[in-house]
Amino acid sequence: MPRAYNFSPGPAMLPESVLRQAQATMLEYGDAGASILEISHRGADFLAVAHQAEADLRTLLAIPDEYAVLFTSGGATTVQALLPLNFAAPGQPCDYVVSGHWGKTALKQAAPCADARIAASSEAGGFRDVPPREQWRLSPDAAYVHVTANETIHGVEWRDIPAAGNAPLVADFSSSIASGPLDVTQFGVVYAGAQKNLGPVGITVVIVRRDLLERAGQPRAPVLDYRAQAQAESMLNTPPSWNWYVLGLTVKWMLEEGGVAEFARRNARKAALLYDAIDASGGFYRNEVVPAARSRMNVPFFLHDPALDARFLAEAKQAGLVALKGHRVLGGMRASLYNAMPEAGVQALVEFMHGFRNAHG
Ligand SMILES: *Cc1c(COP(=O)(O)O)cnc(C)c1O
């Protein structure tokens, strides 16, 4: 069975060349006499892998020196839980701009250890848009303002994330990091689970402005302390070394392909192909997000008759197009178009959708 076009929201499609390199080194890594899975994270071989991955990520995203880059385990959700512990004083308000499911999750994860407040939310409108800056009600003494750059489930993405004022912006870029140019200096913290656009699940990138690491935060174990992790180069305990390695391969692949400017061009073309097909379907397919906030990475869409959903998914799978089922909170379909999805995959999806509509419209 050949590899399908995999529209999974995450863990998501990886470049075949990355998988082949990972496969080759699974058995023997260089002259280590062992698999990359079997060597010490403190040995020279792995340290070289870790440092190269960080250097390449810094190049890819133009991350300045005044930002530390952490490689953590526990996923983006654990970062969400640790944000108030690291960056908010006890009782200090933390503002959340909620544009979908993941913004809500960030708030929920912070709530036990923070005065987490909803500064703005687009939930009343069904998360079909981002809450405009005029509607943000910020706390004057907020520790930070949290935003979700791209809502993976609702398919809502900020084109430009507005400045928050005095408090640093903390942004969840899990599903859109490296999809295009990113001005890191606009943010205090940028974080992203790797399994959407950076590599395999099991490792999370946290980019933190170093002055924020000096904040006292709240009582926490050393292993949950981002300053301690930064000092220890993310190796206070055993890091997810395999995941770090495959992330490094993926980042290198992105650099070789032309970097984030090239991916911005590709992703714009891919998203336009699919949205145009949906909009030109005479209502057979529909996407409900306001056009200015439509995600380039995750495209939720609905068939005019949900009774056709199962058939759509089964026939798509036969056509080599997999993981199109929408998230249970929305239903319908969702196509995720991360960097590793080639334009040919989106073309194949659009052609399939056209044929399906002709057969069932
Ligand atoms: C996937 C995702 C998360 C959760 O990531 P985990 O690794 O499962 O914790 C958080 N935020 C966004 C935007 C996501 O896409």
Side-chain angles (χ1 to χ4, degrees), residues 75-76 79 171-175 177 190-195 198 203-206:
V79 177
D172 180 355
F173 267 91
S174 290
S175 50
I177 194 161
V190 166
Y191 66 93
Q195 71 270 27
L198 285 183
I203 192 159
T204 304
V205 168
V206 187

Side-chain angles (χ1 to χ4, degrees), residues 7-21:
F7 295 91
S8 170
M13 190 169 184
L14 287 165
E16 189 168 328
S17 64
V18 166
L19 295 174
R20 288 196 185 283
Q21 287 172 80

Side-chain angles (χ1 to χ4, degrees), residues 265-355:
R265 284 189 284 274
R266 293 184 192 179
N267 290 329
R269 275 202 307 270
K270 280 150 51 183
L273 259 175
L274 182 49
Y275 284 115
D276 287 351
I278 292 167
D279 292 344
S281 70
F284 189 87
Y285 303 109
R286 73 178 192 284
N287 167 278
E288 299 180 341
V289 178
V290 305
R294 282 173 162 184
S295 168
R296 298 156 309 132
M297 294 284 100
N298 310 97
V299 182
F301 62 93
F302 303 90
L303 275 64
H304 77 103
D305 178 5
L308 288 170
D309 284 3
R311 188 142 186 190
F312 180 93
L313 289 167
E315 290 184 17
K317 182 158 191 207
Q318 290 208 312
L321 309 164
V322 300
L324 286 161
K325 192 172 166 50
H327 190 277
R328 63 197 140 75
V329 313
L330 274 189
M333 307 296 151
R334 171 174 48 167
S336 296
L337 315 177
Y338 302 119
N339 287 0
M341 172 60 65
E343 190 168 325
V346 184
Q347 214 113 41
L349 173 60
V350 164
E351 276 160 31
F352 168 76
M353 287 168 69
H354 190 71

Side-chain angles (χ1 to χ4, degrees), residues 110-168:
C113 299
D115 177 7
R117 299 178 178 178
I118 299 177
S121 172
S122 48
E123 184 162 23
F127 291 133
R128 295 188 177 95
D129 200 353
V130 291
R133 180 67 179 84
E134 313 83 77
Q135 288 173 15
W136 296 15
R137 267 195 299 260
L138 301 177
S139 314
D141 51 346
Y144 57 80
V145 178
H146 184 281
V147 293
T148 310
N150 180 65
E151 286 285 354
T152 319
I153 293 171
H154 288 89
V156 170
E157 183 178 19
W158 289 94
R159 285 293 169 273
D160 291 297
I161 299 177
N166 293 332

Side-chain angles (χ1 to χ4, degrees), residues 1-78:
M1 160 118 176
R3 280 171 57 74
Y5 290 120
N6 175 6
F7 295 91
S8 170
M13 190 169 184
L14 287 165
E16 189 168 328
S17 64
V18 166
L19 295 174
R20 288 196 185 283
Q21 287 172 80
Q23 180 187 42
T25 47
M26 173 69 95
L27 214 53
E28 269 178 67
Y29 186 74
D31 61 0
S35 163
I36 181 85
L37 283 166
E38 300 170 309
I39 60 176
S40 167
H41 58 293
R42 308 217 185 264
D45 280 330
F46 185 73
L47 287 179
V49 165
H51 292 153
Q52 192 62 49
E54 179 175 339
D56 287 343
L57 188 66
R58 283 185 181 275
T59 304
L60 183 72
L61 300 178
I63 303 170
D65 285 343
E66 67 259 35
Y67 286 75
V69 179
L70 308 180
F71 295 87
T72 67
S73 49
T77 309
T78 301

